[in-house]
Amino acid sequence: MPDGVNLSRRGLFRGRLSAPEPETRLPWSLSWPDFVADCTRCGDCLTACPEQILVKGDGGFPTLDFSRGECTFCTKCVSACELPLFRPVTEAPWDYVAHIEAGCLAHEQVFCQRCQDSCEHNAIRFSPQLGRVPTPSIDLELCNGCGACVADCPVGSIRVGAPRGEPNQV
């Protein structure tokens, strides 16, 4: 996407007037309207990310791609940004958590526990069920929304986002 894209013109053709809010914003970032109002789309945060999970999203704004790996909350994206687009790193990076969707192999009676194996915080557990393969559940108190389970899921049935029933706000 060219750097000089006029979002208002492009949005007009797509039926919207601003960049849509991604499901997950960068850790510690301001609210989406405040972030896109001042972000220059320079890409410094993208190149600073050691996990290389930050990518250019709609309109060239940085977004997370958990299919590439997990967020280690290293704060390098925050440090690389010269603008005041982030909250203090002494606060929680976000309130996002993992969600297991209907396409999970356990729902098809296929044994797989890769998400549990990749979860460093032991937030994903498999409960045994009589006559069925174990099914996963997420302990929302332990899940930090890092996304490690997303890249490990062989069928892409895990996503990271706001807790269910809540708006996509930090």
Side-chain angles (χ1 to χ4, degrees), residues 45-102:
C45 58
L46 277 67
T47 56
C49 179
E51 306 304 323
Q52 298 181 335
I53 62 169
L54 299 184
V55 296
K56 282 192 177 194
D58 198 27
F61 292 102
T63 189
L64 288 154
D65 181 357
F66 288 120
S67 69
R68 298 168 150 240
E70 69 183 287
C71 182
T72 59
F73 305 108
C74 68
T75 71
K76 291 186 179 179
C77 57
V78 177
S79 300
C81 185
E82 296 180 12
L83 299 172
L85 299 177
F86 295 90
R87 295 176 290 108
V89 296
T90 54
E91 298 176 14
W94 54 38
D95 67 348
Y96 298 141
V97 293
H99 300 279
I100 299 173
E101 303 296 322

